[in-house]
């Protein structure tokens, strides 16, 4: 049986690539990528040349079959999504399941993650931290799920696009305007920005901007009273 390596790659700053990730890319026979053009730029920067195969969300099941066939032939494969850890709001889970079902070893090569980066500077994670990824773009579903998450009383981390960040913050401020929020924009990149405040304060900041750009990770603090209320309501 062969080995599939799941490789974390930088979310912005190329200096965050790990030595182990580079050594893995150099050692494997083939590299599978969410976007071969993006991964080729990364490999070129570090002077690594390897055959590339596409494995993106739209073709992951089909691509997984091809990759498993390569593993069956004894080839070693590394998989990288566009940025961060594959399988965390990125493709990768289908491929991992297929490779393991075929009897191959699946080895994680950990690397940068917007989730971990924001959690490390949020300052108030508590014992439980819920990672939800992207909420629904549909207003009703987004608000409903947000209410459910807030009712747990636990801290939460979400991902959001520049097109919906103000909408998300508006929903949050409408539900609990005093809830503490930390927003990380373009984490590890040249224009990285981390701001914190109440939901109402952070909303006012972003709503006042003429243009909002970048990728966002949003930390929402926990609320012990909310958790207590939720437990009481269940009784």
């Amino acid at each position: 049986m062969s080995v599939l390596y799941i490789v974390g790659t930088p979310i912005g700053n190329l200096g965050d690539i790990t030595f182990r990730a580079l050594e893995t890319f150099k050692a494997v026979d083939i590299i599978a990528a969410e976007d071969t053009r993006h991964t080729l730029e990364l490999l070129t920067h570090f002077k690594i040349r390897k055959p590339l195969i596409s494995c993106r969300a739209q073709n992951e099941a089909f691509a997984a079959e091809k990759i498993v066939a390569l593993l069956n032939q004894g080839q070693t494969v590394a998989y990288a999504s566009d940025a961060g850890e594959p399988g965390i709001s990125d493709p990768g889970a289908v491929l991992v399941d297929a490779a393991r079902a075929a009897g191959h070893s699946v080895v994680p090569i950990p690397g940068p993650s917007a989730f971990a980066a924001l959690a490390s500077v949020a300052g108030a994670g508590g014992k439980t931290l819920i990672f939800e990824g992207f909420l629904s773009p549909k207003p009703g579903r987004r608000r409903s799920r947000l209410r459910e998450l807030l009712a747990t009383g636990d801290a939460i981390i979400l991902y959001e696009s520049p097109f919906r960040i103000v909408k998300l913050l508006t929903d949050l401020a409408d539900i609990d305007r005093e809830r503490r929020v930390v927003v990380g924009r373009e984490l590890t990149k040249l224009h990285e920005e981390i701001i914190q405040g109440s939901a109402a304060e952070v909303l006012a900041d972003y709503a006042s901007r003429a243009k909002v750009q970048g990728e966002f990770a949003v930390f929402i603090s926990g609320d012990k009273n909310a958790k207590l209320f939720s437990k009481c309501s269940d009784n």
Side-chain angles (χ1 to χ4, degrees):
M1 294 292 99
S2 194
V3 182
L4 169 68
Y5 296 94
I6 303 300
V7 185
T9 55
I11 59 176
N13 191 320
L14 293 182
D16 290 336
I17 191 78
T18 67
F19 178 79
R20 191 176 175 209
L22 292 177
E23 289 302 299
T24 299
F25 284 145
K26 292 175 183 177
V28 297
D29 298 305
I30 296 168
I31 297 174
E34 179 182 3
D35 186 329
T36 55
R37 295 166 299 178
H38 183 91
T39 300
L40 179 59
E41 290 180 2
L42 176 68
L43 297 175
T44 300
H45 180 82
F46 291 105
K47 298 180 173 58
I48 298 172
R49 292 186 178 182
K50 291 288 177 175
L52 290 168
I53 183 172
S54 172
C55 182
R56 60 189 190 278
Q58 295 81 356
N59 77 339
E60 188 174 358
F62 174 73
E65 292 181 5
K66 295 174 63 176
I67 293 168
V68 168
L70 293 170
L71 293 169
N72 290 341
Q73 295 169 16
Q75 304 272 3
T76 54
V77 181
Y79 177 68
S81 56
D82 286 353
E85 295 280 0
I88 301 181
S89 288
D90 271 340
V94 173
L95 173 59
V96 165
D97 281 347
R100 190 173 285 124
H104 301 291
S105 297
V106 181
V107 177
I109 309 296
S113 165
F115 164 77
L118 184 61
S120 72
V121 297
K127 291 185 178 180
T128 303
L129 179 57
I130 298 172
F131 174 66
E132 183 75 6
F134 289 91
L135 294 179
S136 172
K138 296 183 178 180
R141 291 184 181 179
R142 180 180 62 241
R143 183 176 289 246
S144 176
R145 182 55 180 158
L146 187 57
R147 285 186 181 277
E148 292 174 354
L149 292 168
L150 292 173
T152 67
D154 293 319
I156 306 154
I157 286 184
L158 307 171
Y159 288 165
E160 195 51 275
S161 75
F163 310 106
R164 292 192 299 272
I165 185 63
V166 172
K167 295 176 182 178
L168 172 64
L169 292 171
T170 298
D171 289 343
L172 178 57
D174 286 346
I175 297 169
D176 186 349
R177 61 183 291 105
E178 297 303 323
R179 188 70 70 103
R180 180 174 173 269
V181 177
V182 182
V183 175
R185 183 179 70 85
E186 292 290 90
L187 290 172
T188 81
K189 300 176 184 177
L190 180 63
H191 299 293
E192 177 183 82
E193 176 185 55
I194 300 172
I195 65 172
Q196 68 170 332
S198 68
E201 290 169 340
V202 176
L203 168 60
D205 184 318
Y206 278 103
S208 68
R209 302 187 185 194
K211 189 174 184 180
V212 178
Q213 295 179 302
E215 297 178 339
F216 291 83
V218 181
F219 172 91
I220 305 169
S221 69
D223 183 341
K224 293 181 180 179
N225 291 330
K227 179 175 284 189
L228 178 62
F229 177 77
S230 178
K231 289 181 178 178
C232 291
S233 298
D234 292 337
N235 293 332

